[in-house]
Amino acid sequence: MKRRRLPEIRLALMLLTRLPVGQFAGTPPEITHARWAFPLVGLPLALIAWVVLAGAAALGLSPLVGGVLAVTALVLATGGLHHDGLADFADGMGGRDPEQRLAIMRDSRVGSYGVLALILAVVLGAAALAALPTGGAGLLSLMLCAVVSRLAILMVMEWLPPAREDGLGHLAASAGKGNIRWFPGGLLALLIAPFLGLPGMAALLVMAAAAWLVGRRAKALLGGQTGDVLGTVQLCSEIAGWVVLSAAF
């Protein structure tokens, strides 16, 4: 790995998590150069969720309590970044035109649509995690969903133009299309999925469908993607993967 790749991974961790990775002494890499590492960020987050699930089971707590604790750990580890995006996007869908929707999404206040979306995401996510095993299959399941849901961010960036001329969605996508920055994450996903058999392959398809549906909705309502849209893509596709794999187990 080239020496510059390590700072890019570090920047991706700083952008998408609250994990303690320190500060840059010099000039940090550009976001556009670090986005290839977004799927790799899912690996430590999956490990955190698995440790919480396994720890709750070892303490004799109910699976549902373990699922709630795992979701809580992920929210703390990410700073609620993707949940915030989901709430803003859900609220924005109530606007009458793209300009008003984008303005609503920038409002720091959370409306009824956003609250309902968060409740559904947390409840569904916790229930799905509760049904996952706490052994190796559970860890692989969490890794697959964490990696692919962040890979979906890159794919939506390639598909949709930025809906704004500023913000994270614009900065991360400004390097243009036609590259293969998604290749490391895609390769990692294809290495993990076969170990889960048909459920793993089914999870890949359902997660892709979830990301496509969110992207299609964003294109229709906003004309493109924003940071909130990308957060929604990540969260919805990850939860969709958890649901599919929880049904398999």
Side-chain angles (χ1 to χ4, degrees), residues 59-173:
L59 292 172
L61 301 177
S62 73
L64 184 56
V65 170
V68 172
L69 291 176
V71 169
T72 302
L74 289 174
V75 170
L76 293 174
T78 61
L81 178 67
H82 308 304
H83 288 79
D84 180 69
L86 173 65
D88 287 342
F89 184 54
D91 280 336
M93 288 193 292
R96 65 175 177 270
D97 54 47
E99 290 73 21
Q100 186 184 52
R101 292 172 190 132
L102 289 170
I104 292 172
M105 290 166 64
R106 274 222 161 123
D107 193 329
S108 60
R109 295 169 295 181
V110 180
S112 57
Y113 289 161
V115 171
L116 289 171
L118 287 175
I119 291 173
L120 291 172
V122 170
V123 170
L124 186 58
L129 289 178
L132 291 179
T134 56
L139 177 57
L140 288 174
S141 297
L142 290 167
M143 290 171 60
L144 180 68
C145 295
V147 168
V148 174
S149 61
R150 287 161 180 85
L151 176 62
I153 292 177
L154 303 185
M155 303 307 288
V156 172
M157 283 182 185
E158 295 291 328
W159 171 25
L160 298 180
R164 293 193 182 103
E165 294 184 356
D166 59 357
L168 180 60
H170 173 77
L171 289 174

Side-chain angles (χ1 to χ4, degrees), residues 167-242:
L168 180 60
H170 173 77
L171 289 174
S174 60
K177 301 179 184 294
N179 55 58
I180 54 171
R181 295 183 186 275
W182 47 265
F183 180 76
L187 179 61
L188 183 58
L190 291 177
L191 289 175
I192 297 172
F195 288 98
L196 295 170
L198 289 178
M201 300 302 175
L204 288 178
L205 293 175
V206 173
M207 293 176 74
W212 179 78
L213 287 171
V214 173
R216 183 184 180 195
R217 193 65 176 157
K219 183 178 182 180
L221 295 177
L222 306 174
Q225 52 82 10
T226 68
D228 290 330
V229 171
L230 299 178
T232 303
V233 165
Q234 189 282 320
L235 191 60
C236 289
S237 58
E238 185 168 47
I239 293 174
W242 290 347

